[in-house]
Amino acid sequence: MWKGKSKAIISDFEDIHRIITYRHLLSQNLGVKDPLRVVALCDSDAFYAACEQVRLGLDPALPLVVQQWDSLIAVNYPARKYGITRMEKISEAKRKCPELVVVHVATYKEGEAEPSYWENPDTLTHKVSLDHYRRESMKIIQMFKDGLPTAEIEKASIDEAFIDFTRPVRDEILKRYPYLAQVPPDAPNGLDSPLPPPPPICWDNLGTVIPAHPNEEQLDGSSTTEPQEDVGASETGAVDGDDSSTTWHDVALSVAAEFMMNVRHEVYAKLGYTLSAGIARNKFLAKLTASYKKPNNQSVLRDVAIPNYLTPMPFQKIRFLGGKLGKALAQEYDVSTVGDLLTISLDEMQRKFGENSIWVYEILRGIDRSEVKEKSAVNKSMLASKNLLHPVTKPSQGHHWIRVLAAELALRLNEARENIPALWPKTIVLHVRHGYDSSRSKQAAFPFTRNVTVDVIAAAGDKLWKELVGTDSSRSTPISITSVQLSFTGIELAETGQRNIEGFLKARPPVSGDQSSAAAGSTKRKRDEREFSEPPFVQLAAEDVREDVKVSETSARVETSFVCKRCGKRVALSDVDASAEDAIARDMLAALRMEHEDFHFAQELAGQSEDVSAPRKIRPSDTPVTKRKVPKVKEGIARFFTQR
DNA sequence: GGCCCCTAG
DNA sequence: GGCTAGGGGCC
């Protein structure tokens, strides 16, 4: 029906045949409209597997997989030669390749300070940790930034980044071809005159150039095999027979390819990771181009090659069309390739799929206006989750997993704070999945605390848990919880009173009862190692876990209040909180103590005398999830400081 | 701001 | 399939 249109009509891709003028070249800020725009997508090959191979100092040629419980989460290329894929059982993979190197991903274990590599982690007691990969990822991104100081770099995921080469490439072109900097006096239209013909391009060692006309005979001599391990490559990155098709945009692509090649080599030399890259005129094409040839390769998509590259492409391979939208398109028109969809008019598409489908319409024609923009160095959210093979059936069993997840979040947040001390997660969210389908979540404001401990996080998590699933006594019907997720969202720099906050975070709080060290001047003291590296799990050890089971009438009631050594006041949990189960009440009291100390400390930093006002009962973590007015961000922080 | 859904690696 | 992350819609 819609099929049969096998050949793209060149006019569908008109946008790519723009004449490049002096004005284009000499303008600095044309943004996504820049006809010389060059974007790359660079990703790491089988990243998790590569991380383990590098970490263990193994030969990269060995077949290696990363295991997570019974399945695989990464398969390196040597292992793929045996037909091993992800989504496969370990036993199956080993059968296919007996000498397979199998590395289990690092896990946290109860009672341990940090994640580590265990022989036989137990899914009942461990949770996996991807920390090592996150750190390695940051190293690679940092090398991109160092090696390409004028390029825009956007980390797109743990193993890939977009790089906008437009600026460095323009600079380089002007350097190599200085005559372009001046509009010749005899140019017919001044700045709007076309640039002179571009020089011929030698694509050797710049990667694989995707042929413009794949069916035609290709030239020899422009072979573009990789210098690194890619000896077997027979790809001939043939340029079209006649050089007349070469444009200045091709020159730009070739310069970018040169830069990309250099950076990839640097990363390999310094970190040991092989990368694949795609270089094209925009993000979407760069992404599609990167997959042209892997691993350890880079490919270049010239503008002339766009129509024939795109037309036969199954559109569900395109970013954002891989899901429901792509499926809906395929079903609506009973088609599968980009070429098939080119016959659908914009009107038609918008009628069926809404205004926004202009985006799809353009993408199919190689147009993508999205910008490469640097993401802030810090993640906006932090999630720790655990699927439960043995579903939780009683609300009281939740506390244990909340603690485990809280411990991971504490570790990760404090690690992030080593670089950026004023990092503050504004909200904490608990997701709980019941059975297979339904999943619900609750969130609450997270207190701004100097020392984010497991206790503080777990106390907040417990509260959310109570609202989400209730308590043993409040529930008569059995439950079946198959997954628990605890996350921070809205992680940002605490922006108000920056200096105060810095001081607040850096200095060690006065130890209760230790009056001598209570002076605010103690900031000069070396940062106590314990402040950030105190293993959150230490407190989660045996007695705490045991506490879960021995909630009996006979055991003495846990403390629900404490007397502050500094102000002499008794600070108590609210009645509701105090009535919680022991283990939970304990967390909440610990959190309260933390906040109370913060209060004193902040007061001192602000230079107040101690006796002016006894700290009121501070209860940020007490903030209910709904209804009650949550204080504005600034007030939240400002509460800790008096104005000067 | 709170909660849900979609997408992707 | 498990563990993350980001963005958008809707009230």
Side-chain angles (χ1 to χ4, degrees), chain A residues 270-582:
Chain A
K270 195 159 164 195
L271 302 176
Y273 299 112
T274 63
L275 311 176
S276 292
I279 301 159
R281 67 201 304 267
N282 59 40
K283 288 172 82 172
F284 139 73
L285 290 172
K287 169 85 180 162
L288 222 47
T289 300
S291 62
Y292 184 73
K293 190 153 179 262
K294 289 188 168 192
N296 196 19
N297 251 290
Q298 65 182 49
S299 305
V300 178
L301 183 66
R302 298 203 302 144
D303 284 355
V304 261
I306 293 174
N308 285 323
Y309 185 56
L310 224 41
T311 308
M313 184 80 63
F315 56 78
Q316 294 188 2
K317 276 173 68 175
I318 292 173
R319 222 160 56 119
F320 303 126
L321 296 185
K324 299 191 174 182
L325 178 55
K327 197 167 175 193
L329 280 165
Q331 284 175 355
E332 174 69 28
Y333 302 112
D334 189 27
V335 294
S336 62
T337 69
V338 169
D340 298 333
L341 281 180
L342 288 176
T343 59
I344 315 295
S345 73
L346 178 58
D347 268 359
E348 155 77 10
M349 211 174 268
Q350 286 185 315
R351 260 199 306 280
K352 292 255 170 50
F353 296 95
E355 289 288 309
N356 286 343
S357 41
I358 182 151
W359 177 84
V360 178
Y361 182 86
E362 290 187 336
I363 282 291
L364 296 172
R365 288 155 179 80
I367 303 167
D368 176 12
R369 304 178 200 280
S370 59
E371 289 180 68
V372 177
K373 48 176 181 292
E374 173 153 13
K375 301 272 177 65
S376 85
V378 298
N379 285 340
K380 296 180 190 60
S381 65
M382 219 177 249
L383 166 77
S385 73
K386 172 75 186 172
N387 283 4
L388 305 170
L389 268 79
H390 301 307
V392 156
T393 54
K394 278 169 56 194
S396 58
Q397 295 167 325
H399 178 65
H400 172 246
W401 287 114
I402 298 278
R403 290 268 327 172
V404 171
L405 300 178
E408 177 176 353
L409 288 182
L411 191 70
R412 284 170 56 188
L413 182 68
N414 286 324
E415 194 178 308
R417 277 188 170 183
E418 284 174 16
N419 294 325
I420 311 167
L423 233 41
W424 177 32
K426 296 224 176 57
T427 41
I428 180 167
V429 187
L430 179 70
H431 274 257
V432 164
R433 196 174 75 215
H434 298 262
Y436 283 106
D437 35 76
S438 74
S439 153
R440 293 197 304 137
S441 73
K442 278 280 183 193
Q443 51 191 307
F446 191 73
F448 180 76
T449 316
R450 175 184 39 71
N451 203 355
V452 176
T453 60
V454 201
D455 297 323
V456 173
I457 303 173
D462 285 333
K463 235 169 220 305
L464 294 171
W465 176 270
K466 199 168 125 194
E467 298 176 28
L468 220 41
V469 307
T471 59
D472 283 0
S473 46
S474 76
R475 276 234 174 229
S476 46
T477 55
I479 52 170
S480 173
I481 286 161
T482 50
S483 153
V484 187
Q485 305 183 3
L486 195 60
S487 57
F488 285 138
T489 65
I491 302 174
E492 281 176 22
L493 239 54
E495 75 285 2
T496 326
Q498 197 59 38
R499 239 182 337 178
N500 275 344
I501 289 169
E502 291 271 325
F504 182 67
L505 290 164
K506 282 213 181 87
R508 187 71 187 143
V511 178
S512 319
D514 178 4
Q515 303 297 343
S516 63
S517 70
S522 65
T523 13
K524 69 170 265 276
R525 176 154 45 144
K526 271 203 306 289
R527 200 187 79 192
D528 188 329
E529 284 302 302
R530 280 172 55 217
E531 177 169 1
F532 287 131
S533 60
E534 185 160 32
F537 260 110
V538 173
Q539 298 144 349
L540 164 67
E543 76 273 11
D544 224 2
V545 176
R546 272 203 310 276
E547 215 61 55
D548 277 345
V549 276
K550 73 161 199 220
V551 196
S552 66
E553 274 76 71
T554 59
S555 69
R557 193 70 189 90
V558 277
E559 302 279 345
T560 58
S561 70
F562 65 92
V563 175
C564 173
K565 295 245 173 59
R566 317 212 21 242
C567 63
K569 298 273 169 177
R570 175 167 290 275
V571 182
L573 292 174
S574 70
D575 290 348
V576 195
D577 290 349
S579 68
E581 286 160 45
D582 287 5

Side-chain angles (χ1 to χ4, degrees), chain A residues 70-73 75 82-96:
Chain A
D70 283 335
S71 53
L72 306 179
I73 52 171
V75 181
Y82 292 85
I84 298 170
T85 62
R86 281 169 43 160
M87 309 304 90
E88 211 162 27
K89 294 282 180 216
I90 290 292
S91 51
E92 185 70 6
K94 276 186 174 153
R95 205 179 47 73
K96 287 179 176 173

Side-chain angles (χ1 to χ4, degrees), chain A residues 212-213 216-219 238-245 302:
Chain A
H213 305 290
E216 292 174 13
E217 282 291 311
Q218 292 177 357
L219 287 188
V239 181
D240 285 350
D242 65 309
D243 274 0
S244 66
S245 71
R302 298 203 302 144

Side-chain angles (χ1 to χ4, degrees), chain A residues 212-232:
Chain A
H213 305 290
N215 299 328
E216 292 174 13
E217 282 291 311
Q218 292 177 357
L219 287 188
D220 284 334
S222 54
S223 159
T224 56
T225 50
E226 288 283 309
Q228 296 175 30
E229 292 134 42
D230 195 20
V231 275

Side-chain angles (χ1 to χ4, degrees), chain A residues 134-153:
Chain A
R134 283 189 272 263
R135 272 193 290 271
E136 294 298 290
S137 172
M138 279 164 49
K139 286 189 198 166
I140 298 178
I141 296 289
Q142 194 53 51
M143 285 200 67
F144 286 175
K145 289 181 180 171
D146 293 345
L148 303 163
T150 63
E152 196 72 22
I153 295 170

Side-chain angles (χ1 to χ4, degrees), chain A residues 25 27-28 34 36-40 144-153 162-177 251-260 262-263 279 372:
Chain A
L25 178 68
S27 299
Q28 291 294 337
D34 194 328
L36 283 172
R37 191 153 100 110
V38 185
V39 175
F144 286 175
K145 289 181 180 171
D146 293 345
L148 303 163
T150 63
E152 196 72 22
I153 295 170
F162 286 104
I163 303 170
D164 191 326
F165 279 106
T166 312
R167 176 116 83 104
V169 161
R170 165 174 275 113
D171 294 347
E172 185 66 19
I173 287 180
L174 284 170
K175 200 166 112 196
R176 286 186 196 177
Y177 311 101
V251 177
L253 286 170
S254 70
V255 173
E258 209 176 307
F259 290 165
M260 188 76 253
N262 291 340
V263 178
I279 301 159
V372 177

